Amino acid sequence: METWVTLAGTTFAALLLMLTAMHAGPLWRDEVNTLNMAQMSSLRELWQNLPFESFPPLWPLLLRGWSVLVLGDSDAGVRLLGLLVGLIFLASLWLCSRWMGSRAPILSVALLGSLPAFIFIIGANRAYGLASCLLVLSFGTLWRMVELPSRSRVFWATLTCFLFAQCVYYDAVFLCAILSGAAIVVIQRRQWKTLVTLTGIGAVAGMSMLIYLPVIHRGSAYVPMNQEPFSNYSVLWHTLGDALATRSSAHPPTADSPEIWLWDMLLLGGFVVALVMQRKLDREKHRPKTTAANFVRVRCDLTLFCAVSMLLGIVGFMAFLMKLNYPTQTWYYVEMLCLCAIALDGLLGASWPALRPWGLLRIGFMLVMMTWYARSAWEEAHTRRSNVDLIAVVLNQRVVAGDLIVVQTAWEGITFNRYYHGSAHWVTVPPIDSHKVHRNDLVVEMMNQLDAMDPVLREMTNTLHNGNSVWIVGSMAVEHPRQQPSPPVPQTGRLMPHMNYWSAQVMLLLREHAVQEQALAIPVNGPVSHLEKLPVAQFSGFSGYKTDAD
């Protein structure tokens, strides 16, 4: 019964992923960035641009091969690849569950299958979906090797861990946590040869990352521009709560959601089970080695492996985020949630396989979770990732020669560059001359110039003076600055003060000199992700100067 219920939940999750692939629509800026990386003219150029991407080249290379062999660079082709990754992830949950001796991954499917943040990112054109698949497979293959070492199991564990380390740079944190969990088990068993093998697996994965040290060093120069002025765990807690919320990406973050407390209780319950099982193992050591006793020992080792991996993964990743000091996004936490979910399956599922009462409780829990998240998950599956493609269609119809389009920011310019093919000149805030990838180096150059926006401001003034229109694409279209803000210190490392200053310069000029302002309605069927739902406004006419009374 537990297996059939989990199959039903997996089918529902697969349906959500298919609907997402159908309704996600255009690629948004981060996805376009990755696609452009994959389609660089040469592998040398791809390597040179790695500092402007968030992860190693495994996913871009896979996408490059997919683009050549299957459906090119079309949005539909990229969405199809994302769907395949999502379905493979669901299959990997089942495979890992079987390796741990469980009937089905009922807790993993219950916790992740209808989670909006999971649905948003697992099939996106980013490395996080592939990383989640390989995290689950690394967890399972390492446990199989610890449970009963063999050459084939060592080979598959080494391969999956090696590939896992190539997905996202911080996957090293999760890999170290899983390897540490396995090491604790073999040390307790006094299996020193297996411990040496685990060390070798970690060394192979770690040494494979040395090639990226120059890339990481170059990219680290741009880290301060995105860092917060201060960091604390409350910020991480808030974003983690948003990742667990019953809210689709069509809605901006709000207050902390209660779902995070449910996860906390499950984690606490898992750690309690691990402690109970270790006490049970101490009693079993003094009993004769029978088949039943060996089964109990294996289950106790599994709980220790799961608990240590989960604990070190959470602590290590949160410490990494604190050190990074970035404003985190919900998808940053998806891999950590995947690790927790499969560990909880081992702790609360495989360790207590009996149907009564534990299996019935797991079935009830899954039904409650899938029902609780169903509405927001369904909305997420029908949410567009961007409206920039629709904006491009409208502008192609309305913009005339001599008009100027100003896009906020340079990041949205990446998406706009993909979908807009009109004749009007367009610039970004700040004005940079490359819109293929996240060129942090060019933005930093603008941050060090006091007059970075002067060329844009002059072109805007000339456009209005010549009787043409200035079109504003982005959130600054709804800003109403009243006075010129003080410019930030040129040497300040943070981007946000500069962005606020540049945007205020643009809008203050338009408020003072444009005669007419019109907000454009962008027709769209269905919800759009708040991450790239941009407003558009048209400014026309010219006045030498307008006062507030005007």
Side-chain angles (χ1 to χ4, degrees):
M1 182 178 180
E2 189 171 350
T3 301
W4 287 107
V5 171
T6 310
L7 277 173
T10 304
T11 302
F12 180 62
L15 174 63
L16 292 174
L17 294 177
M18 287 187 284
L19 290 173
T20 300
M22 294 168 57
H23 296 282
L27 307 181
W28 72 295
R29 55 183 178 270
D30 284 357
E31 294 179 309
V32 177
N33 184 90
T34 300
L35 181 61
N36 290 339
M37 282 285 298
Q39 294 180 334
M40 294 288 178
S41 59
S42 66
L43 295 180
R44 179 184 179 87
E45 185 182 5
L46 189 154
W47 179 264
Q48 291 174 341
N49 282 275
L50 274 182
F52 310 124
E53 184 55 283
S54 302
F55 32 78
L58 178 61
W59 176 254
L61 289 175
L62 178 62
L63 181 61
R64 187 183 185 93
W66 176 266
S67 299
V68 172
L69 299 176
V70 187
L71 292 173
D73 66 344
S74 66
D75 293 349
V78 174
R79 294 296 176 211
L80 179 59
L81 177 60
L83 173 60
L84 292 177
V85 171
L87 296 178
I88 291 172
F89 176 81
L90 295 177
S92 68
L93 290 180
W94 279 85
L95 191 58
C96 183
S97 176
R98 293 293 184 176
W99 287 339
M100 291 190 297
S102 178
R103 287 191 180 93
I106 187 166
L107 294 180
S108 296
V109 174
L111 292 169
L112 300 174
S114 58
L115 183 66
F118 166 81
I119 297 168
F120 174 86
I121 200 61
I122 200 68
N125 184 33
R126 302 290 280 165
Y128 304 109
L130 179 62
S132 299
C133 293
L134 289 170
L135 183 151
V136 174
L137 293 175
S138 297
F139 190 91
T141 53
L142 282 172
W143 167 247
R144 288 183 77 226
M145 194 204 77
V146 169
E147 182 184 28
L148 187 62
S150 68
R151 289 184 178 179
S152 63
R153 294 188 175 189
V154 170
F155 170 78
W156 287 112
T158 303
L159 179 61
T160 53
C161 290
F162 171 81
L163 293 176
F164 178 44
Q166 311 305 310
C167 289
V168 184
Y169 292 113
Y170 59 66
D171 283 341
V173 174
F174 298 120
L175 183 56
C176 287
I178 299 171
L179 286 169
S180 297
I184 293 295
V185 173
V186 298
I187 290 173
Q188 183 173 261
R189 291 178 175 179
R190 299 182 182 276
Q191 295 176 336
W192 309 118
K193 185 176 180 180
T194 305
L195 180 62
V196 172
T197 302
L198 288 171
T199 304
I201 293 174
V204 169
M207 291 178 64
S208 71
M209 298 296 292
L210 295 178
I211 192 175
Y212 304 124
L213 288 180
V215 176
I216 296 172
H217 178 71
R218 285 181 58 199
S220 63
Y222 315 123
V223 168
M225 64 184 290
N226 294 314
Q227 287 184 318
E228 297 284 7
F230 60 89
S231 62
N232 56 67
Y233 279 108
S234 64
V235 177
L236 303 183
W237 177 268
H238 176 81
T239 311
L240 177 58
D242 189 48
L244 298 172
T246 53
R247 181 174 53 252
S248 75
S249 62
H251 307 285
T254 56
D256 290 340
S257 60
E259 291 80 12
I260 192 171
W261 297 106
L262 173 63
W263 279 74
D264 288 342
M265 289 188 291
L266 286 173
L267 296 180
L268 180 60
F271 289 129
V272 170
V273 168
L275 292 174
V276 171
M277 295 296 285
Q278 292 311 299
R279 293 289 298 275
K280 188 174 184 179
L281 178 62
D282 292 338
R283 295 194 299 268
E284 291 293 332
K285 290 180 179 178
H286 305 290
R287 296 181 181 179
K289 293 185 178 180
T290 62
T291 302
N294 287 334
F295 175 80
V296 172
R297 292 190 181 99
V298 170
R299 295 299 93 186
C300 292
D301 289 341
L302 175 61
T303 59
L304 180 61
F305 169 67
C306 292
V308 172
S309 299
M310 184 169 63
L311 177 62
L312 294 182
I314 294 172
V315 173
F317 184 61
M318 297 301 277
F320 166 79
L321 292 180
M322 284 289 292
K323 180 66 175 179
L324 184 64
N325 202 17
Y326 268 23
T328 57
Q329 304 292 343
T330 55
W331 54 84
Y332 288 16
Y333 300 90
V334 168
E335 285 188 68
M336 186 182 76
L337 298 179
C338 290
L339 175 60
C340 292
I342 57 175
L344 287 172
D345 255 324
L347 288 164
L348 305 178
S351 300
W352 293 346
L355 181 61
R356 298 176 183 273
W358 311 118
L360 295 178
L361 288 176
R362 291 191 291 267
I363 290 173
F365 176 76
M366 179 174 182
L367 294 176
V368 170
M369 291 298 292
M370 298 296 265
T371 303
W372 179 262
Y373 278 107
R375 183 174 180 179
S376 57
W378 191 261
E379 184 181 35
E380 183 62 57
H382 291 79
T383 297
R384 280 178 135 261
R385 295 297 175 259
S386 175
N387 70 338
V388 173
D389 61 324
L390 302 177
I391 291 173
V393 171
V394 172
L395 292 180
N396 277 327
Q397 296 171 349
R398 302 193 58 170
V399 171
V400 299
D403 285 358
L404 175 66
I405 302 171
V406 181
V407 180
Q408 179 191 357
T409 60
W411 313 145
E412 278 82 2
I414 295 174
T415 317
F416 194 78
N417 184 64
R418 176 174 175 81
Y419 294 107
Y420 177 71
H421 306 293
S423 58
H425 183 226
W426 66 276
V427 295
T428 59
V429 178
I432 61 175
D433 57 7
S434 177
H435 301 290
K436 290 293 186 181
V437 295
H438 294 303
R439 291 296 303 271
N440 294 319
D441 56 334
L442 299 181
V443 175
V444 169
E445 289 181 11
M446 295 292 103
M447 291 168 59
N448 292 324
Q449 298 180 20
L450 286 174
D451 56 352
M453 289 298 295
D454 282 2
V456 176
L457 300 177
R458 284 196 298 268
E459 188 171 2
M460 290 171 58
T461 302
N462 292 335
T463 299
L464 294 174
H465 188 268
N466 294 333
N468 293 100
S469 297
V470 174
W471 305 79
I472 300 296
V473 178
S475 58
M476 62 181 175
V478 296
E479 296 177 0
H480 294 78
R482 292 298 181 185
Q483 59 184 6
Q484 184 76 15
S486 300
V489 179
Q491 288 75 28
T492 185
R494 295 183 59 239
L495 174 61
M496 190 54 62
H498 293 273
M499 285 304 309
N500 293 335
Y501 175 64
W502 295 330
S503 298
Q505 283 184 295
V506 170
M507 296 313 299
L508 193 61
L509 183 146
L510 291 172
R511 304 297 178 194
E512 290 180 347
H513 296 294
V515 176
Q516 295 178 336
E517 174 185 354
Q518 179 184 1
L520 268 67
I522 305 300
V524 58
N525 295 323
V528 179
S529 171
H530 78 277
L531 295 167
E532 200 166 87
K533 184 179 181 180
L534 306 182
V536 181
Q538 177 188 8
F539 293 84
S540 58
F542 181 79
S543 173
Y545 181 78
K546 291 192 301 182
T547 65
D548 290 343
D550 295 333

